[in-house]
Amino acid sequence: MTFDTQDSATTPVRHFLFQGSGRGYFLIWLINILLTMITLGLYLPWALVRARRYFYANTELDGARFSYHATGRSVFVGWLCMLVLYAVFIINMVHGNIVLQLCMMALFLIFFPWLITQGLRYQFLMTEINGVRFSFYASPLRAWWVMMGCPLLIVAAAIIVFSFFTTSALSSGSYTAIFTMIGAGTLVLLLGVAIMQGVYTAQWFGMLVNNLQYGKLKFSGEFAVKKCVTIIVLSMLLFVPFIAIALYVTIPAFFMLSQYAYAVGDNPEQLAMLMGPFYGKLIFSYLVYIVGAIICYIFAFVKLRNYLYSQLALEGNIRFSSTVTLGRVFWISVTNLLVCSVTLFLAWPWAKVRFTRYLLENTHLHGDLSSLPLENHDQHPAKDPASLLARGLSFYPALF
């Protein structure tokens, strides 16, 4: 459901803006860290809320700014409930109560997706712009299928196929067949993980967007599984050359090192001297792997973000788009990482503000906002024990 470019050329375009600064966020970030350390982590919910309020309050759309009304106390109560459940689980583990452990694990697998969606509901209900709040509600069964059922089914199928290849390889008795079959099985396993991630992404955003409201206006979007899977598979294929280079450097080095170790025997001094070049190759391979992982993640992030926003719509012919680019995101990510490393992460607030500003400035809204019939809903956060527990998960990322 992409919108016609000819039509969009005649509609007004609004750009999200971020008015905050690294200096402004630095003081909040520093106080949050100090108070969290002094209180041995008890202040962390308030710290997270303060940070989110700063970024929301400095995010502007057509002259209006967002606001976030959650409180640290509500998040702390949710964390406290989770801590109590975790303590009960540990006590059962110490006393060897297998039955209760299995029951708690089963309950976790069953209800965790529902808790996540309830946390998201609280997160959106606390978000406001132009005096109108957002809302979200998803079916518990749908949430479980998207977050647990479907991913587990795809991964289980990939593991079964991988086990078949491995068993066939080991029973063949030929080294060539063993390496060939294990390699094919590994590729199938990686492909299964890519398919699982793509299917999960499409279903997650479908569930999120089509159950999201702004006041009484509903969002909508159609996210193709094939498109998301293709993006994830392509990102993993980009990773393959980096893995190949790392293996090409390290595998011969390992064989050579094993031969040296056999030759020198138990002489640790000679072995240490021989391992010098090996450490250099190992560090080089590790750096190649890290660069490949960063490129792989950035490719998936940019392509998915641009695609997902292009499918997003709001009642009243309001549509969205994202124009982030691979080169720019890579440059910002790498330079942010280098600056944070050099400054021992004292530059983290500046890096976060810089990346947030770029994302928002490349997120666009197409349509006439003044024509929207803004009307707030009458929904309020539930106060039952399960909902209070879910508030501790209200920082689960929803959009990107």
Side-chain angles (χ1 to χ4, degrees):
M1 185 177 60
T2 55
F3 56 90
D4 189 358
T5 54
Q6 293 180 350
D7 294 337
S8 65
T10 61
T11 58
V13 180
R14 301 290 187 271
H15 308 280
F16 287 83
L17 298 173
F18 186 73
Q19 305 291 2
S21 65
R23 179 183 299 178
Y25 180 51
F26 178 81
L27 184 60
I28 295 174
W29 174 80
L30 184 62
I31 293 175
N32 283 345
I33 289 181
L34 293 176
L35 290 178
T36 301
M37 294 174 62
I38 291 172
T39 60
L40 301 179
L42 293 178
Y43 185 76
L44 185 57
W46 286 268
L48 294 174
V49 168
R50 285 190 66 202
R52 176 165 287 186
R53 281 182 180 174
Y54 178 81
F55 280 92
Y56 277 41
N58 285 282
T59 300
E60 183 178 306
L61 176 62
D62 197 28
R65 296 199 181 190
F66 288 81
S67 58
Y68 188 63
H69 301 281
T71 62
R73 179 177 176 274
S74 62
V75 178
F76 177 76
V77 170
W79 285 17
L80 190 62
C81 293
M82 287 189 286
L83 181 62
V84 171
L85 292 176
Y86 180 73
V88 172
F89 180 78
I90 294 298
I91 291 172
N92 287 321
M93 182 182 295
V94 171
H95 291 280
N97 197 330
I98 305 298
V99 176
L100 284 179
Q101 290 180 52
L102 292 176
C103 289
M104 291 188 70
M105 292 175 64
L107 289 174
F108 174 81
L109 292 175
I110 293 172
F111 289 104
F112 182 72
W114 177 81
L115 291 174
I116 289 292
T117 57
Q118 287 299 106
L120 287 174
R121 176 175 171 79
Y122 177 74
Q123 180 182 149
F124 282 116
L125 285 172
M126 295 295 103
T127 304
E128 177 184 320
I129 184 173
N130 285 319
V132 178
R133 298 197 182 197
F134 292 82
S135 179
F136 171 78
Y137 176 78
S139 163
L141 186 60
R142 174 67 175 166
W144 186 87
W145 171 251
V146 170
M147 300 182 67
M148 287 289 186
C150 187
L152 289 175
L153 189 63
I154 295 174
V155 171
I159 291 175
I160 290 173
V161 174
F162 174 74
S163 301
F164 170 77
F165 276 100
T166 304
T167 304
S168 301
L170 294 177
S171 62
S172 65
S174 169
Y175 286 107
T176 302
I178 289 175
F179 284 113
T180 301
M181 296 292 281
I182 290 179
T186 302
L187 289 176
V188 169
L189 184 61
L190 292 175
L191 182 61
V193 172
I195 292 174
M196 182 271 292
Q197 186 64 43
V199 171
Y200 169 78
T201 301
Q203 291 194 344
W204 168 258
F205 277 93
M207 180 188 71
L208 177 67
V209 169
N210 292 295
N211 291 285
L212 181 62
Q213 292 181 218
Y214 173 53
K216 293 188 176 182
L217 300 174
K218 295 182 178 180
F219 287 86
S220 62
E222 297 177 4
F223 307 100
V225 171
K226 181 180 179 181
K227 179 70 174 181
C228 294
V229 170
T230 301
I231 292 173
I232 298 297
V233 170
L234 288 176
S235 70
M236 294 191 70
L237 290 177
L238 282 176
F239 199 19
V240 170
F242 295 92
I243 296 177
I245 293 173
L247 293 176
Y248 178 79
V249 173
T250 55
I251 289 178
F254 271 113
F255 278 113
M256 186 174 295
L257 182 63
S258 63
Q259 292 176 356
Y260 286 160
Y262 179 77
V264 301
D266 296 330
N267 192 322
E269 294 181 358
Q270 292 186 10
L271 185 60
M273 293 177 60
L274 293 172
M275 287 181 67
F278 172 76
Y279 284 134
K281 293 181 178 180
L282 188 63
I283 292 173
F284 173 76
S285 300
Y286 183 72
L287 292 176
V288 169
Y289 178 86
I290 292 298
V291 171
I294 292 174
I295 293 176
C296 172
Y297 173 79
I298 289 176
F299 177 87
F301 173 83
V302 169
K303 294 298 183 181
L304 284 174
R305 189 180 199 274
N306 290 344
Y307 170 69
L308 295 171
Y309 274 91
S310 72
Q311 303 301 107
L312 181 61
L314 178 64
E315 281 185 286
N317 295 322
I318 302 296
R319 300 182 184 275
F320 299 82
S321 65
S322 170
T323 54
V324 296
T325 61
L326 290 170
R328 187 61 179 165
V329 172
F330 179 78
W331 169 253
I332 292 176
S333 301
V334 171
T335 52
N336 280 353
L337 180 61
L338 290 176
V339 171
C340 288
S341 300
V342 170
T343 61
L344 300 178
F345 279 84
L346 287 175
W348 166 251
W350 171 83
K352 184 173 177 61
V353 165
R354 183 187 181 208
F355 190 67
T356 301
R357 178 177 289 112
Y358 175 74
L359 291 182
L360 289 174
E361 289 178 350
N362 286 274
T363 305
H364 317 292
L365 183 148
H366 305 257
D368 187 5
L369 289 173
S370 61
S371 65
L372 289 179
L374 297 182
E375 185 179 357
N376 214 348
H377 54 71
D378 55 357
Q379 303 174 41
H380 300 281
K383 296 183 179 180
D384 58 276
S387 297
L388 293 177
L389 172 64
R391 292 183 186 184
L393 302 173
S394 61
F395 286 88
Y396 189 87
L399 297 172
F400 60 95

